Amino acid sequence: MASKAARICGAIAALAALAAAAQPGAVKPVAVPMRDLKWGTLNFLHTTDTHGWHAGHLQESQYSADWGDYVSFAEHMRRKADEQGVDLLLVDTGDRVEGNGLYDASTPKGKYYYDIYRQQNVDIICTGNHELYQASTADQEHLQTVPNFRNNYIASNLDYVDPKTGERSPMAQRYRRFKTKNQRIDIVAFGFLFDFTGNAKNTVVQPVKKTIQEDWFQKVVRESRPDVFVVIGHVGVQMQEFKDIFRAIRLHNPNTPIVFFGGHVHVRDATSYDSRSFAIASGRYFETIGWMSVELGSDAPSFHRRYIDNNILGLYHHTGLNASTFPTEHGRNVTSMIAKARAELDLDYIYGCAPKDYWMTRAPYPHENSIYSLLEKQILPAIVVNPKRAQVPRLAIMNTGAIRFDIFKGAFTRDTTFIVSPFLSVLNYIPDVPYRVARKVLGLLNSGGQIMDEDFVPWHLMAIPEQQVPRKSVIYEKKPPKVSDSMGQQVPLGRFGGGDDAHDGPVLIEGYTTKDDIGDDGDDAVHANIDFHVVPNCIQAEIAFPKEKEPETVDLVFFDFIQPWVLFALKVSGGNQTAADVKSYVPDTFSDLMSEWMKKNWPRKCD
Ligand SMILES: *[C@@H]1O[C@H](CO)[C@@H](O)[C@H](O)[C@H]1NC(C)=O
Ligand SMILES: *[C@@H]1O[C@H](CO)[C@@H](O)[C@H](O)[C@H]1NC(C)=O
Ligand SMILES: *[C@@H]1O[C@H](CO)[C@@H](O)[C@H](O)[C@H]1NC(C)=O
């Protein structure tokens, strides 16, 4: 045991060098025990659902590398591939926009993002739903990212509608066929989006089931006979769309390896649909760089996956480099582009200092450490105020999915506002709803598919995306993680953090401890578990209620996003209110009201 522990500590010592890159102001990374990458003939790095986090996580040490560091990393990994005579491809599966000040804070949105993002040489890239909600975002995708990746962008089931002519044409090529640089592996790649229906009018998403019956697709899967099919998509790897594509390809290609790169559900996940196929999803918010390798050549292909924490120390580890040898000239340039953009956007402007951490799902709800309890008890009562109706008792209902990230102890900045609540949510209301009707709404919204017909109203869309598709990989289990030592043996770690005998093993940082269909050894960094608590679809604050008795009527205030569900719940509760009764409650967006609250209630100076 002692020698194994020593080896693990040795690996940590090797990682203890100070980081030189990442964004100014980012917290210093901490070294943790690592699992290595296994190279194959064909290797991939994968990002998905980065949502504007290209500056990295300035408040979380284990994800604080930035897009410039990823540029350096990819350069070194391509060199390593060349040295071994194997191939490396970079994949991105969409939702690159919305959710971080670096994208959202500029006018127009994405003023800096497009040029920063394009610095990475991504070999296969497709579209997510967030590129398509706003017509202007889809226009920019069409005008910037598609031409920036002219030969690499794939849109198998997505069309763009020209605003001038009204003409509909493929957003990008339907598929891509190419040979890899070193092994000359013949690849056919597709790029899909799940059956999304919330897009603006300037795009058309064709259902996957229909696309795979089209002549062009059938011709490719029947006649192309590549060495490998690579299917990338803004699709969860457990979702039906990928399974349908898999079947359609496999039907005519019984032995060809098929690899899938998915996203959308914001989880680390991997599975295989049969022994010659493999699928990986690489998390969210640029916390994760997915790694997949395929060993071809022998009769049966073998597959390997890793979820690489976007931690500069881990990137050093996987490249065998250090703070002075790792950053490339191009990577440094991208890091300074990002720093310049963040400074111009004044993203570090402090509204107030959070006195402690407030969690979305790491604390139960209700709880003093829950962000939703903070909203229900303190923020909503203070901001849901219409001066003309300040005395009217009201119920304020918010969907938990309106919050997208935790609040960490310390600076709550202009950037944090976009991170925590990226949507331009506003508050609507229906005046004077009988309380006996209004009081039933929350329960109905939270009963979801049990009382309501899920097919009629997609209730789950009100919750956070991590909860929208139930996955075992997000339900973290309370058990000590295991780490492979350098001999490839599983070494259980006795302790993780604190306690008298903490010297038995390294102190682990809380982070991903993923369990997927392949096993529980996917994460590159060995972390302590994070608790995951399920939260309801919606929360509710009672405001200005009389002390003695129940009110006769209340103003029913709610986030505009959930209006269809609220109206439906009112109807089920016996109300006669319709969309015609809905009015705007206050003119400001929720994000503005929230940051004003922080300004008033939290100290400006952080310790
Ligand atoms: C990084 O590695 C190089 C070459 O091995 C060495 O010369 C240099 O001192 C190291 N730098 C740091 C900061 O550890
Ligand atoms: C990095 O930036 C410098 C200064 O703008 C420029 O001269 C150089 O060509 C850039 N290098 C790369 C690899 O992008
Ligand atoms: C709705 O119901 C209320 C009583 O709950 C009644 O006063 C009102 O007239 C009704 N409105 C309509 C349009 O039926």
Side-chain angles (χ1 to χ4, degrees):
M1 251 343 256
S3 66
K4 281 170 191 162
R7 270 204 296 274
I8 295 168
C9 291
I12 296 169
L15 291 179
L18 275 188
Q23 288 299 297
V27 289
K28 290 279 171 272
V30 180
V32 298
M34 300 292 293
R35 299 182 182 100
D36 288 335
L37 305 179
K38 192 169 145 193
W39 285 77
T41 350
L42 181 57
N43 307 275
F44 298 88
L45 291 171
H46 176 213
T47 49
T48 192
D49 298 82
T50 48
H51 285 286
W53 287 78
H54 304 99
H57 291 235
L58 280 76
Q59 291 182 302
E60 288 175 285
S61 62
Q62 70 270 40
Y63 315 120
S64 60
D66 67 23
W67 199 246
D69 298 316
Y70 185 39
V71 166
S72 298
F73 183 56
E75 255 182 81
H76 295 302
M77 295 296 272
R78 284 192 203 272
R79 180 176 39 77
K80 277 167 106 61
D82 290 348
E83 283 165 8
Q84 300 170 70
V86 298
D87 287 295
L88 176 69
L89 298 172
L90 266 63
V91 173
D92 187 286
T93 44
D95 275 13
R96 292 173 284 275
V97 301
E98 295 184 344
N100 188 290
L102 186 63
Y103 174 83
D104 291 279
S106 63
T107 312
K109 284 178 186 295
K111 185 174 159 196
Y112 304 94
Y113 148 79
Y114 293 100
D115 282 343
I116 291 166
Y117 182 86
R118 72 175 299 185
Q119 301 301 319
Q120 184 61 286
N121 295 319
V122 183
D123 297 282
I124 318 175
I125 178 170
C126 68
T127 317
N129 49 309
H130 276 266
E131 274 84 22
L132 307 179
Y133 280 110
Q134 309 291 329
S136 55
T137 319
D139 286 338
Q140 288 311 308
E141 190 67 9
H142 185 76
L143 289 169
Q144 305 210 47
T145 307
V146 170
N148 287 345
F149 294 90
R150 176 63 71 203
N151 296 318
N152 303 354
Y153 206 115
I154 313 182
S156 297
N157 65 334
L158 176 65
D159 288 347
Y160 177 72
V161 181
D162 187 294
K164 290 200 196 77
T165 62
E167 201 179 310
R168 177 179 160 181
S169 58
M171 180 75 150
Q173 61 197 327
R174 291 288 189 227
Y175 73 100
R176 176 170 184 222
R177 182 169 200 165
F178 62 102
K179 280 204 169 68
T180 60
K181 179 180 166 194
N182 294 321
Q183 294 268 331
R184 307 303 293 165
I185 301 165
D186 183 13
I187 288 178
V188 164
F190 299 106
F192 279 91
L193 174 60
F194 74 97
D195 295 349
F196 175 56
T197 55
N199 49 320
K201 292 200 166 58
N202 60 344
T203 56
V204 181
V205 183
Q206 175 156 273
V208 167
K209 270 198 162 68
K210 208 170 149 199
T211 301
I212 59 181
Q213 283 161 13
E214 286 187 329
D215 289 345
W216 72 266
F217 184 86
Q218 283 298 323
K219 194 168 155 55
V220 173
V221 299
R222 282 165 198 261
E223 295 171 15
S224 62
R225 304 274 165 256
D227 298 323
V228 180
F229 283 99
V230 178
V231 181
I232 76 161
H234 194 74
V235 179
V237 297
Q238 312 286 344
M239 284 167 69
Q240 192 58 41
E241 285 91 334
F242 264 2
K243 293 176 186 171
D244 291 340
I245 297 163
F246 165 72
R247 279 200 209 98
I249 298 174
R250 182 58 84 221
L251 186 63
H252 302 287
N253 302 273
N255 293 315
T256 314
I258 313 174
V259 292
F260 289 78
F261 294 87
H264 182 56
V265 276
H266 290 189
V267 293
R268 294 180 172 189
D269 198 5
T271 192
S272 66
Y273 307 122
D274 69 6
S275 66
R276 291 169 177 271
S277 69
F278 201 75
I280 184 175
S282 303
R284 58 167 200 187
Y285 304 153
F286 199 36
E287 291 165 344
T288 304
I289 300 167
W291 168 261
M292 190 204 288
S293 60
V294 189
E295 189 58 52
L296 298 162
S298 63
D299 193 34
S302 64
F303 306 92
H304 167 79
R305 55 90 183 85
R306 273 278 175 270
Y307 309 107
I308 302 174
D309 275 1
N310 184 32
N311 181 338
I312 190 91
L313 299 180
L315 304 186
Y316 296 165
H317 176 81
H318 295 306
T319 49
L321 298 168
N322 64 27
S324 45
T325 51
F326 178 83
T328 64
E329 184 188 331
H330 191 194
R332 279 186 210 272
N333 280 2
V334 179
T335 293
S336 16
M337 279 174 89
I338 298 168
K340 197 157 162 268
R342 285 184 50 83
E344 281 173 27
L345 291 167
D346 203 10
L347 292 182
D348 292 326
Y349 174 84
I350 296 176
Y351 286 106
C353 267
K356 59 177 180 177
D357 297 328
Y358 290 100
W359 305 113
M360 294 171 66
T361 57
R362 285 200 212 180
Y365 165 82
H367 191 275
E368 58 176 338
N369 298 332
S370 161
I371 195 169
Y372 298 112
S373 291
L374 172 72
L375 284 156
E376 179 196 321
K377 299 288 179 217
Q378 298 187 51
I379 302 182
L380 290 176
I383 66 173
V384 180
V385 180
N386 170 335
K388 290 202 180 111
R389 304 185 66 83
Q391 306 311 318
V392 182
R394 51 203 177 271
L395 293 175
I397 302 182
M398 169 181 200
N399 59 307
T400 51
I403 296 295
R404 284 304 167 109
F405 213 69
D406 304 313
I407 295 175
F408 297 110
K409 181 175 194 278
F412 189 99
T413 63
R414 189 165 146 75
D415 196 22
T416 323
T417 312
F418 293 101
I419 290 168
V420 171
S421 180
F423 312 113
L424 297 178
S425 302
V426 291
L427 299 168
N428 287 346
Y429 83 116
I430 301 175
D432 309 317
V433 179
Y435 181 56
R436 67 186 155 73
V437 174
R439 69 190 303 174
K440 292 185 194 149
V441 170
L442 180 73
L444 286 164
L445 296 179
N446 286 340
S447 67
Q450 286 144 34
I451 295 183
M452 307 285 198
D453 179 358
E454 174 82 17
D455 290 339
F456 181 69
V457 208
W459 296 94
H460 62 275
L461 290 183
M462 290 184 282
I464 56 175
E466 289 76 0
Q467 223 170 265
Q468 288 178 10
V469 177
R471 282 288 313 137
K472 54 180 168 297
S473 56
V474 298
I475 310 300
Y476 302 107
E477 282 177 17
K478 275 277 184 198
K479 70 167 197 191
K482 290 176 173 175
V483 54
S484 305
D485 71 2
S486 53
M487 309 303 282
Q489 208 176 335
Q490 292 284 297
V491 183
L493 293 176
R495 300 278 314 173
F496 29 105
D500 289 341
D501 47 354
H503 59 270
D504 279 4
V507 173
L508 297 184
I509 307 286
E510 282 193 345
Y512 283 96
T513 51
T514 309
K515 276 172 73 83
D516 58 28
D517 290 348
I518 312 305
D520 61 4
D521 61 349
D523 303 307
D524 77 329
V526 180
H527 284 298
N529 290 322
I530 297 176
D531 289 338
F532 184 93
H533 300 273
V534 173
V535 294
N537 290 338
C538 294
I539 59 164
Q540 169 176 284
E542 288 181 2
I543 308 167
F545 267 46
K547 289 220 166 51
E548 331 63 63
K549 59 175 175 47
E550 283 183 354
E552 277 294 307
T553 61
V554 294
D555 284 352
L556 185 66
V557 186
F558 50 87
F559 278 54
D560 58 341
F561 180 78
I562 57 172
Q563 181 165 319
W565 292 277
V566 169
L567 288 172
F568 185 79
L570 276 170
K571 201 166 134 201
V572 173
S573 312
N576 59 6
Q577 294 78 10
T578 66
D581 300 309
V582 176
K583 299 183 165 91
S584 161
Y585 192 73
V586 278
D588 317 78
T589 64
F590 166 72
S591 303
D592 288 343
L593 293 168
M594 183 179 65
S595 39
E596 281 307 308
W597 183 89
M598 272 110 185
K599 224 175 185 170
K600 279 202 203 103
N601 291 277
W602 284 348
R604 282 296 292 284
K605 273 222 154 65
C606 308
D607 325 322

